[in-house]
Amino acid sequence: MKAKHQRLTLGVVALASLVGAGLLAASALRDQAAYFYSPADLARSPVDPGQRIRLGGMVADKSIRRAADGVTIDFVVADGPSTTKVRFRGIPPDLFKEKSGVVAEGAFGPDGVFVADTILAKHDERYMPPELERGGDGQRHKTGTLKP
């Protein structure tokens, strides 16, 4: 076999390996990916019940309702005029409250309610941990960009 053919064979094998690795990575990502939607996105293009997604938006004012069992929470995620009802069973994060950002991961049930199994509370750039907000020790971290 000539050197030219050996290089060509090596190049074809390398290209086939790269394509194979890319296909494996894409396959693994498809199984684990949960695409992000806002309520406005869901109004434009609904997703099938059971398809895992991430839902993000603001928790609507006066929408948090706690069930009698103490661990089930119903609330509404809003994105402008679009809203989505969400049900979560578990302990929400400390920053979870009305009029704050939230990302919920889960799927729509057959009744059209988004059933979240994970809730991530978002905070704005002005967030300060309670220990630092209480201050008192005179060692607050000062930044030039945060406004009280």
Side-chain angles (χ1 to χ4, degrees):
M1 185 181 277
K2 293 181 180 179
K4 181 179 177 183
H5 290 136
Q6 288 178 340
R7 286 192 304 265
L8 181 62
T9 303
L10 184 62
V12 169
V13 170
L15 182 64
S17 298
L18 285 173
V19 170
L23 290 174
L24 285 175
S27 174
L29 182 62
R30 188 172 3 149
D31 292 342
Q32 297 297 321
Y35 296 104
F36 184 86
Y37 289 88
S38 69
D41 295 334
L42 293 171
R44 282 190 298 268
S45 58
V47 297
D48 296 328
Q51 179 183 350
R52 289 193 59 79
I53 64 167
R54 287 185 175 184
L55 172 69
M58 301 293 287
V59 178
D61 190 25
K62 299 177 184 173
S63 69
I64 297 176
R65 304 274 186 259
R66 294 187 186 274
D69 63 2
V71 293
T72 302
I73 302 169
D74 291 314
F75 59 97
V76 174
V77 174
D79 177 26
S82 300
T83 60
T84 302
K85 292 181 180 178
V86 178
R87 180 169 297 133
F88 173 70
R89 184 174 168 82
I91 300 172
D94 290 340
L95 295 175
F96 178 76
K97 60 184 178 183
E98 295 170 343
K99 298 182 183 179
S100 68
V102 67
V103 175
E105 187 171 334
F108 280 98
D111 57 353
V113 175
F114 186 79
V115 179
D117 52 21
T118 303
I119 289 182
L120 304 172
K122 295 169 54 177
H123 59 77
D124 61 12
E125 68 275 0
R126 292 177 292 172
Y127 172 76
M128 184 173 294
E131 299 84 28
L132 291 178
E133 194 168 78
R134 282 192 295 267
D137 60 356
Q139 296 189 10
R140 284 180 97 167
H141 176 72
K142 294 190 183 229
T143 64
T145 59
L146 299 178
K147 307 258 190 260

